[in-house]
Amino acid sequence: MSVLVIVEQRGGAWNRMSWETLVAGQQFGGPVSAAVAGQGIEGLAAELAAKKLDRVYAVTHDLLRNYTADGYTAALEQLIRKVNPSMVFFPHTYRVRDFAPKLATRFDQVLISDAVGYRQESGGPVFVRQLFQGKLNADVKPGGSGPHFASIQAGAFRADQVVEGTAPVETFTPELTAGQIRQKPEEPFRESARAVDLTAAEIIVSVGRGIKEKENIPIVEALAKALGAELAASRPICDSGWLPMERQVGSSGQTVSPKVYLAVGISGAIQHLVGMKGAKTIVAINKDSNAPIFEVADYGIVGDLFEIVPALVEEVKKAKG
Ligand SMILES: Cc1cc2nc3c(=O)[nH]c(=O)nc-3n(C[C@H](O)[C@H](O)[C@H](O)COP(=O)(O)OP(=O)(O)OC[C@H]3O[C@@H](n4cnc5c(N)ncnc54)[C@H](O)[C@@H]3O)c2cc1C
């Protein structure tokens, strides 16, 4: 089954979930192409052409300079009708949530949104979606003849597994007129401020509501400092203003994949997990042995963070001499 991956750029910069979605496409098992839409995207298309793909489509038009749901839907509908893939994959971004369901209905299909994985069965592919904050997994089988549409959850595939290669670039100029586009682009929604780039950190110490109050933050700060790690947090910590918003990890914060992620007093709600489950090694400290964070942790310490964290700081300092 052939896959067309629609990757995402904004103002010439990649959304890094694009690479994860490319991996989802590459691992699907059939021929894979990718498309990037916008204006002045030749450089981005060339970057894509260095991946193992059958073809790269640079979808360009003056009316695609700024994102609009109408513009993207019309342009990508024309591309999909031309390429005729079995599957179309998107990263599950805010933008994709905006236009992809509408695009899917143009083909009498629905968008299988926020999939965390898929498997191949004799009757065709089956996608997995999480329900009730990750308590249940639901299998979704696409119906009808296709093409089928699916968006892939952040962190479901690892961007560093993208396979390099070479692919030809084809410029595709859709037929668009200004009258087709009803939206007037405004300042885009910011998924989170990026003053701190947690995505580049090798070690992250992340703190949750278990820390109880703002005055206790220096306890985990000391651990981050001892380990040479970046400090991050769950959403309630940032919502309370105990740490700045740009340190938030999760579905409405940053998606990180460090070598080590230490979750301190974090329960492991699905919105937090999607932002950090791509970490190579996860260490959790929580006094509740049933906390869901332990389901993704490689190492778990059940106990009181106010005893464990200072003891860890001492040990790290000793080990570092
Ligand atoms: C649309 C939406 C988007 C969201 N986006 C995000 C997001 O981007 N990031 C995010 O993190 N959340 C997000 N959330 C919130 C998410 O659902 C959870 O509410 C949040 O992650 C919980 O944060 P927490 O684990 O710090 O707090 P809690 O769930 O309250 O967990 C605190 C944990 O600390 C432990 N604990 C308490 N005291 C101690 C102690 N002394 N020692 C050790 N452990 C202790 C407890 O056992 C508990 O497990 C979002 C929610 C929604 C609805």
Side-chain angles (χ1 to χ4, degrees):
M1 291 185 100
S2 60
V3 180
L4 176 66
V5 179
I6 312 286
V7 290
E8 185 167 313
Q9 63 90 21
R10 180 174 289 178
W14 290 113
N15 181 315
R16 55 178 258 126
M17 281 168 68
S18 295
W19 306 118
E20 299 173 7
T21 312
L22 217 55
V23 172
Q26 286 181 332
Q27 293 182 357
F28 198 71
V32 194
S33 300
V36 55
Q39 183 63 300
I41 52 169
E42 294 73 17
L44 296 175
E47 235 182 288
L48 273 179
K51 308 296 169 200
K52 187 169 181 285
L53 294 165
D54 278 38
R55 192 167 287 271
V56 171
Y57 295 97
V59 185
T60 60
H61 196 288
D62 267 350
L63 291 169
L64 295 175
R65 182 178 299 281
N66 291 311
Y67 164 77
T68 59
D70 282 343
Y72 265 52
T73 304
L76 293 173
E77 180 186 354
Q78 291 171 37
L79 178 74
I80 292 164
R81 293 207 187 281
K82 172 187 143 76
V83 177
N84 197 23
S86 324
M87 297 289 327
V88 183
F89 284 179
F90 309 86
H92 190 68
T93 61
Y94 285 102
R95 180 185 287 179
V96 163
R97 281 172 241 192
D98 189 43
F99 78 87
K102 170 179 153 120
L103 177 61
T105 59
R106 296 269 172 106
F107 294 83
D108 285 330
Q109 289 290 331
V110 292
L111 174 72
I112 301 171
S113 61
D114 215 10
V116 293
Y118 52 68
R119 59 177 190 276
Q120 303 289 357
E121 288 191 352
S122 52
V126 176
F127 288 83
V128 181
R129 294 186 70 237
Q130 295 184 317
L131 305 179
F132 301 112
Q133 308 237 333
K135 288 193 170 60
L136 286 180
N137 276 351
D139 285 349
V140 183
K141 276 189 190 162
S145 59
H148 304 298
F149 295 78
S151 65
I152 308 293
Q153 189 174 97
F157 290 83
R158 292 193 61 106
D160 59 8
Q161 288 178 356
V162 71
V163 182
E164 308 289 322
T166 47
V169 177
E170 183 176 325
T171 302
F172 178 76
T173 310
E175 283 175 29
L176 291 179
T177 57
Q180 276 175 292
I181 298 174
R182 295 165 298 176
Q183 297 93 15
K184 236 173 69 198
E186 289 188 359
E187 192 56 26
F189 175 73
R190 285 168 65 95
E191 297 187 18
S192 74
R194 294 290 149 103
V196 179
D197 186 11
L198 294 176
T199 60
E202 294 217 326
I203 309 176
I204 292 178
V205 172
S206 194
V207 58
R209 201 143 49 181
I211 197 72
K212 306 251 181 332
E213 49 193 46
K214 187 178 183 180
E215 286 61 40
N216 294 332
I217 295 281
I219 297 172
V220 278
E221 231 162 18
L223 181 58
K225 195 164 170 239
L227 288 168
E230 278 288 352
L231 189 61
S234 66
R235 178 165 168 172
I237 301 299
C238 300
D239 278 353
S240 310
W242 299 356
L243 282 173
M245 284 294 179
E246 68 245 31
R247 296 205 177 261
Q248 181 182 316
V249 168
S251 58
S252 44
Q254 298 202 39
T255 301
V256 297
S257 45
K259 285 193 180 144
V260 182
Y261 188 90
L262 259 123
V264 182
I266 292 178
S267 59
I270 183 68
Q271 294 88 356
H272 189 80
L273 297 187
V274 298
M276 45 64 78
K277 67 183 180 201
K280 284 214 172 68
T281 303
I282 297 170
V283 183
I285 303 171
N286 198 303
K287 67 176 187 187
D288 173 9
S289 63
N290 291 318
I293 191 76
F294 288 125
E295 285 167 28
V296 296
D298 301 287
Y299 299 95
I301 306 170
V302 179
D304 185 351
L305 74 90
F306 295 101
E307 292 169 18
I308 295 162
V309 173
L312 267 178
V313 173
E314 284 316 306
E315 287 306 316
V316 172
K317 279 186 184 162
K318 266 192 233 161
K320 286 196 167 176

